[in-house]
Amino acid sequence: MAGVWRYCFLILIFGIPMHTYAAVVQGANCVKEEPCFDLNVLANMAERVSKDVTAADGEKILLKHRSFDKIGKRKNLHSCVLEKIINLFEDVLDRTKGNYVHNKEEINHHLELIHIMEQLKKCLYKTKDECKKLFKKSDITTTSSLIPEKNMSPNQLAVLQLQKLKSASKKLDDVHIQEMVMDELKSLHLYMKGKGFQKKTND
């Protein structure tokens, strides 16, 4: 541990580029790895792909940010829910890829975004067993409409989000659902922030 701090001290003082040890300095902290994925890339690519999509009416598929933030504070819940969110968006991108023309651009941003979805999955915590339990719970649990969303626990919110995703997944041939997903794609990067969006390194 002392060696790590000594390494960080050398970088801070002398700015010596040492690449033999996989550490980077962020502020005053010594971090073992660089961020798994630059979410600015996701945001910019999503904006290019969805810029012409009209905001969809009706109930949103993704929870409000203040509700989702509660899920984000629980890394296992967050990674399991993100897995399903990424799957849904990837499915819609795949279904709609023929609707977008990129003749005037060097990069097909639509296809590139599909590849990004695969990269995002690799950044999630590996919580296979926990996810199975949560997915099963969301299948058998009936979310009570008597509990306001703002009063729900992180577990209840995770179940609610999974149920909304499952409902949308069953209607992917519906153009309205496709448009809703493409519209929400613009803010998807905001849901990635949190403890769950990091690759687990202590395997």
Side-chain angles (χ1 to χ4, degrees), residues 8-75:
C8 291
F9 179 78
L10 286 172
I11 293 180
L12 287 170
I13 300 302
F14 301 107
I16 300 174
M18 298 180 184
H19 301 290
T20 54
Y21 182 80
V24 294
V25 174
Q26 296 180 353
N29 298 320
C30 188
V31 183
K32 288 185 178 179
E33 291 186 355
E34 294 186 20
C36 183
F37 191 87
D38 183 356
L39 292 174
N40 289 321
V41 174
L42 171 62
N44 293 334
M45 198 69 70
E47 184 61 34
R48 287 175 179 270
V49 169
S50 300
K51 62 183 178 181
D52 297 325
V53 178
T54 305
D57 296 327
E59 185 180 351
K60 299 292 185 182
I61 298 171
L62 298 180
L63 295 178
K64 296 175 182 176
H65 291 297
R66 61 176 175 268
S67 296
F68 201 87
D69 284 346
K70 291 184 181 179
I71 300 174
K73 293 176 182 177
R74 302 277 295 276
K75 65 182 181 182

Side-chain angles (χ1 to χ4, degrees), residues 102-116:
H102 302 267
N103 293 337
K104 297 180 181 180
E105 299 177 349
E106 294 181 5
I107 300 175
N108 185 324
H109 299 292
H110 203 89
L111 290 178
E112 190 65 25
L113 199 48
I114 293 174
H115 295 313
I116 285 175

Side-chain angles (χ1 to χ4, degrees), residues 3 7 11 15 37 42 47 51 55 57 77 81 108 129 142 166 180 182:
Y7 173 82
I11 293 180
F37 191 87
L42 171 62
E47 184 61 34
K51 62 183 178 181
D57 296 327
L77 290 179
V81 172
N108 185 324
D129 292 336
T142 302
K166 186 175 181 180
M180 187 174 291
M182 294 301 292

Side-chain angles (χ1 to χ4, degrees), residues 11-193:
I11 293 180
L12 287 170
I13 300 302
F14 301 107
I16 300 174
M18 298 180 184
H19 301 290
T20 54
Y21 182 80
V24 294
V25 174
Q26 296 180 353
N29 298 320
C30 188
V31 183
K32 288 185 178 179
E33 291 186 355
E34 294 186 20
C36 183
F37 191 87
D38 183 356
L39 292 174
N40 289 321
V41 174
L42 171 62
N44 293 334
M45 198 69 70
E47 184 61 34
R48 287 175 179 270
V49 169
S50 300
K51 62 183 178 181
D52 297 325
V53 178
T54 305
D57 296 327
E59 185 180 351
K60 299 292 185 182
I61 298 171
L62 298 180
L63 295 178
K64 296 175 182 176
H65 291 297
R66 61 176 175 268
S67 296
F68 201 87
D69 284 346
K70 291 184 181 179
I71 300 174
K73 293 176 182 177
R74 302 277 295 276
K75 65 182 181 182
N76 290 336
L77 290 179
H78 192 211
S79 62
C80 295
V81 172
L82 281 182
E83 178 186 330
K84 291 295 186 181
I85 288 175
I86 293 170
N87 285 341
L88 174 66
F89 280 76
E90 186 176 26
D91 286 345
V92 171
L93 284 166
D94 188 57
R95 285 170 181 259
T96 59
K97 63 188 176 186
N99 302 340
Y100 294 81
V101 181
H102 302 267
N103 293 337
K104 297 180 181 180
E105 299 177 349
E106 294 181 5
I107 300 175
N108 185 324
H109 299 292
H110 203 89
L111 290 178
E112 190 65 25
L113 199 48
I114 293 174
H115 295 313
I116 285 175
M117 292 296 156
E118 286 298 318
Q119 295 178 51
L120 294 176
K121 290 179 186 178
K122 297 176 182 178
C123 290
L124 303 179
Y125 271 99
K126 298 175 183 177
T127 54
K128 188 175 181 179
D129 292 336
E130 290 85 349
C131 288
K132 282 183 178 179
K133 294 176 184 176
L134 182 62
F135 297 157
K136 185 176 181 180
K137 185 176 181 181
S138 70
D139 287 337
I140 62 176
T141 301
T142 302
T143 305
S144 175
S145 58
L146 299 177
I147 305 175
E149 191 176 305
K150 64 180 181 180
N151 294 336
M152 288 186 177
S153 68
N155 279 285
Q156 290 172 323
L157 287 168
V159 167
L160 175 62
Q161 180 63 90
L162 289 172
Q163 290 173 341
K164 288 167 73 71
L165 292 167
K166 186 175 181 180
S167 176
S169 296
K170 291 179 179 179
K171 306 171 186 174
L172 287 188
D173 290 329
D174 186 335
V175 175
H176 178 70
I177 295 295
Q178 293 178 6
E179 290 177 347
M180 187 174 291
V181 171
M182 294 301 292
D183 177 42
E184 294 192 49
L185 181 62
K186 299 170 188 173
S187 62
L188 180 60
H189 63 285
L190 299 174
Y191 290 82
M192 299 293 169
K193 296 179 180 179

